[in-house]
Amino acid sequence: REKFDTMADCEPSINTLHKGVKVLKENLSEDKKKQHVKQARAYRNIKDAMSEHGNELLAETDVYAAADSMEILRDAFNYFLERRSWKSALTALGGLERVHKMGVEAMCDLIEHHLEHAGMAVKPKRTQVDLTTESANDARARLAAALQNRDLMKSIGEYEEIQPVEARAVREIRSVFECLGGDGFQLGKPRHREIKANLEALAVPANKVVRTAKVGSGTYFNLVKAPIKTGYPHLDSFGEARRHVAHGAIDGYYRAVRSDRKKRNAKKEKNIAKMAVGGDDSNDADAAARDAVRCLEHAMVVVAGEKSIHRTVVAPSLIQQDEEAEGEVEISPLYKKACVTVYSFVAGSVVDRALDIVETVFLKECGIGQSSGAAKEDSSTPPLSVRSAASGAAAGLRMLDGVRMLGPSLAKLCDLQIDGKKSGGGSDMAVASTLCIAIHRTTVKNSARTLENLGKAIQDDSNPGATDARISSLTSDVVRAIRLISPYVSAYKSVTKRRALPWDPKIGEDAGELDSYIRFLMTRLLGNLQQKSLNYSKHNEEHFVAKGFIFMVNNTSYLLKQLGPLPETHHNRENDDAENYRIESPWFSDKTEKILENEKQKYFSMWEELNKFLSSVDNNALEYQKDNVLSLDSGRVIKSRFSGFNENFERMYEFHKNLSVADEHLRASMITGVKQVFLPKYKNFYDKFSKVQFSKKNMEQYLKYQPQKIDSMLNTLYV
């Protein structure tokens, strides 16, 4: 008779729990819940909230009473199950099942209420460090120092982990997990096969993680948003509640960071407009990359906080005491795996958002998928310029630097050890572990694409050379690009070790260093410059050919000055400073100096034309009249020499003086080279025949260019 009264005895306590949780859920409006997550603010005083919204209807003892009633219901259900032949057994079993189901639902709702409204497991640090203007070198140094610190989590990010669940809520949740843990959530024979199938469906191999959500949707892999159905309803409630809050924590942080960046950019653009100067598009990509790394740091802190909550409320259910046997109850391996799975989904939602943030920066700020060269007629997207491609490549390497340094620690946080075994191994890896692998793999892949884009943008640059043959904007852009990527030696090596690249097909330890990529860029640049130089020559006019030579001289000299090795006396300057980066490898100096000297000689050879008027004249071929006066025919020979020289010199000088040679040392060198071509011969020729009267009336006209005047005029060559 006592067993038949079980339902009547237990239903009131379970009904009290059910009604109390219902009141809490109704009074805490949906709008307040959304606002809570969106603004990333935690309910710190859950006791006040419960007191305000019906705590008088649900005391802590009510939860314990309901848990005890659930135990009694399970015993009674098993009792009647063994006596199924009784006529009243089926009715009793049905009633017990109904009340038990109501108890499970109420307990799950209580778990969701406590955990969702406990709020984020992070809070701002007391001592804030401004990371909004942190350079790539400073970030690398800071993260490297943090990794050497035994307490890593205190050294990264702008937030720190906390345990947000109040003591009373922890006690209530633990009692629920103790009640429903293992197979306590169900009546009758355990459904292990069904649970095993559920857990297998929630696992995913690393090579199956690809983007399945729209860019900018806030999600990368749709599985992390799928309903968590392990077969253990209390674990599912835990996972759903904390996944919602954890995703809100990283998403809210990213939105705040992005909003701050937009405000800074708007202010900067306003100042630029006032000064009427051009901005630097590298700032946008670099700032976005910097914020992506900040989000990765924040993701680590959020995951650490969620791990703390899991250890506080879930882990104790894995160690249950058998009061009768005075020992620990053996926990089902499926339950252990389910505990790992729900934690992995909570952590995975954070890693997934971080992965989406990183790839969104690659797609929007780093130019992935954008074509280079001239704009296509049917395309509304502007072509990818060298400056934009360089900014994207540097930003990609900066993000890879962060992923490379923080990725292993993040993966360790996502792993959960139970009985000394990690959750991340095996073919059916937990989703958080596979996402940690995916974030590194995706960043490496996209970084490789940005590097390829930069090389292609240099090759496809179609901007013509300037009319005065000055230094090409392409050259200065490539120098800037090399300086932007030069600090990322380790990040570049992470790319080449894992991906075969057009300029470096080897992978692994045989892959090339950053110098091989810089050599590839310089080869593309010099090839493009030579093509631009040939474009000058298409007009088949002498002065256009000269422009081509000066164009190459200007650009190769600029490259040597900006990137060539410094003299021995200057080697104390640090080469890891991007502004002072130098290409020390001999290939650069050898190749560039060779081109420079060849182009100089081609240019100087154009002035050789003047020497044909300055060749020596045999004295025996000249006829003199009296008083050192040449005969008419002999005078005509000298006249033709001087007049030919004067006309050609004037023509060449008028054109060449307007060519651009901005560098003072190069200008002086070019002027000296031009003088050496013909001025000594002209001086000898002038000194010899200026003393001879070869014209009766127009001597001054033929001798109007004294050697000193020629020298002075040549000093004014180039602008």
Side-chain angles (χ1 to χ4, degrees), residues 457-474:
I458 294 172
Q459 182 183 34
D460 295 344
D461 181 81
S462 57
N463 293 327
T467 55
D468 58 358
R470 68 180 64 183
I471 297 169
S472 173
S473 60
L474 172 63

Side-chain angles (χ1 to χ4, degrees), residues 329-360:
V329 177
E330 184 177 354
I331 304 299
S332 166
L334 287 177
Y335 183 73
K336 294 179 181 179
K337 187 174 181 179
C339 291
V340 169
T341 299
V342 294
Y343 169 73
S344 182
F345 265 77
V346 174
S349 68
V350 179
V351 180
D352 178 84
R353 186 67 179 104
L355 175 54
D356 178 65
I357 291 168
V358 170
E359 187 164 77
T360 299

